[in-house]
Amino acid sequence: MKYILISILSFFYLNSYSQKRITLYFDVNSYELNKTEFKKFSVFMKTKDLKIQKVIGYCDLRSFDVYNDTLALKRANFVSSLIKLIDVNSNFEIEYKGQNFNQDKVSELTRKVEIYFKIEKTLPINITKDNELAEVVKKSKIGDKLVLKNLSFYDRTDILYPESYKIREELLQVLKDNPKIKIEIQGHICCTPGKDEEEIALKRCLGTIEYLVINGIDKSRLKYKSFDATQPIYPIPEKNEEQKKANRRVEILILDK
């Protein structure tokens, strides 16, 4: 329950301030992220057009000032190093405050690092009435399944082709423009019939949902289901790479409007 509350708070910060921020929390006396917070950080770093501006480390009332300042700095440096592993060209401020800040009454909420950031979109995508996806969703009925054209992945991964970013952003905008819509993300793979032992189709579902949630879509509007290779567009084995690419995809099922 503690981490559920913390995650809700962090996403509230993420979407509610002009200067955006996300907060990561630490175990007692630790400067490394636990599994839950590391996953949250990993999801956050997948945000498109992300620009980190500042990282600030904090510590609760653990010991004397030098110890608290050192632990706060270690937390800030640890998170900063993770950011630079993903984006080697990133340039941002690093600060630490030890215990010298307005401490929360809940000690778990004071063992933290705050990441301040902004979204720098070079080519914003505007959904208009002429947009195909927006029109299809508008005309769809509950129970309709939609194939997202050109939303496909590299083989055996949950990584999108660069040309697929646009359709994923369009899906995000459609959900923002239609707040009553609820969908199920359905994942598929190519090439190998039967059970998906590596759970690639599932990872494609989860990666898509993570992208939508980190960019402001309420998780309660999203469900997911993996179909492995049981529902290919083209029969397996496929005849060429184009057919394989079409089969490794996600689709959406309209659950509510």
Side-chain angles (χ1 to χ4, degrees), residues 103-162:
Q103 295 269 329
D104 195 285
K105 292 181 180 180
V106 181
S107 61
E108 288 91 340
L109 300 181
T110 63
R111 302 192 291 264
K112 64 184 179 180
V113 161
E114 292 177 340
I115 304 174
Y116 289 81
F117 67 96
K118 61 181 179 179
I119 304 299
E120 291 186 336
K121 290 191 175 181
T122 54
L123 294 172
I125 296 174
N126 298 316
I127 302 298
T128 68
K129 62 185 300 182
D130 297 323
N131 181 272
E132 182 181 5
L133 177 59
E135 280 298 295
V136 170
V137 171
K138 181 179 179 181
K139 295 176 181 178
S140 67
K141 303 183 294 296
I142 294 175
D144 283 350
K145 185 185 294 186
L146 308 179
V147 177
L148 301 178
K149 294 180 179 179
N150 300 319
L151 185 64
S152 54
F153 301 79
Y154 287 103
D155 191 22
R156 304 176 72 85
T157 76
D158 60 347
I159 301 174
L160 283 172
Y161 283 93

Side-chain angles (χ1 to χ4, degrees), residues 57-60 65 68-69 72 96-101 103 110:
Y58 299 85
C59 182
D60 55 350
D65 286 350
N68 295 329
D69 288 346
Y96 67 96
K97 296 189 177 181
Q99 68 186 42
N100 298 315
F101 64 99
Q103 295 269 329
T110 63

Side-chain angles (χ1 to χ4, degrees), residues 26-39:
F26 293 77
D27 296 331
V28 176
N29 293 328
S30 176
Y31 63 87
E32 296 184 352
L33 295 174
N34 61 36
K35 185 177 180 180
T36 300
E37 294 301 285
F38 183 79
K39 182 177 181 181

Side-chain angles (χ1 to χ4, degrees), residues 110-250:
T110 63
R111 302 192 291 264
K112 64 184 179 180
V113 161
E114 292 177 340
I115 304 174
Y116 289 81
F117 67 96
K118 61 181 179 179
I119 304 299
E120 291 186 336
K121 290 191 175 181
T122 54
L123 294 172
I125 296 174
N126 298 316
I127 302 298
T128 68
K129 62 185 300 182
D130 297 323
N131 181 272
E132 182 181 5
L133 177 59
E135 280 298 295
V136 170
V137 171
K138 181 179 179 181
K139 295 176 181 178
S140 67
K141 303 183 294 296
I142 294 175
D144 283 350
K145 185 185 294 186
L146 308 179
V147 177
L148 301 178
K149 294 180 179 179
N150 300 319
L151 185 64
S152 54
F153 301 79
Y154 287 103
D155 191 22
R156 304 176 72 85
T157 76
D158 60 347
I159 301 174
L160 283 172
Y161 283 93
E163 61 265 29
S164 295
Y165 292 154
K166 179 177 180 180
I167 187 67
R168 186 177 65 174
E169 290 182 5
E170 289 174 353
L171 173 61
L172 170 65
Q173 191 62 51
V174 167
L175 291 174
K176 286 183 175 180
D177 291 345
N178 300 272
K180 292 184 178 180
I181 288 181
K182 295 182 179 180
I183 64 172
E184 181 179 84
I185 306 292
Q186 300 183 345
H188 304 266
I189 62 171
C190 73
C191 310
T192 306
K195 176 67 176 176
D196 178 13
E197 297 295 339
E198 296 178 87
E199 296 188 326
I200 300 300
L202 176 61
K203 292 175 183 177
R204 288 169 180 166
C205 294
L206 296 177
T208 303
I209 286 179
E210 287 174 349
Y211 168 82
L212 296 173
V213 170
I214 202 74
N215 284 286
I217 303 302
D218 193 313
K219 196 171 184 178
S220 65
R221 299 172 59 192
L222 308 169
K223 295 184 180 299
Y224 63 89
K225 186 174 182 179
S226 169
F227 284 91
D228 299 338
T230 62
Q231 295 185 7
I233 294 175
Y234 296 98
I236 296 174
E238 298 88 343
K239 294 181 179 179
N240 51 51
E241 179 58 29
E242 184 179 20
Q243 291 185 1
K244 293 178 181 178
K245 184 177 178 180
N247 278 346
R248 47 183 190 260
R249 69 198 189 280
V250 296

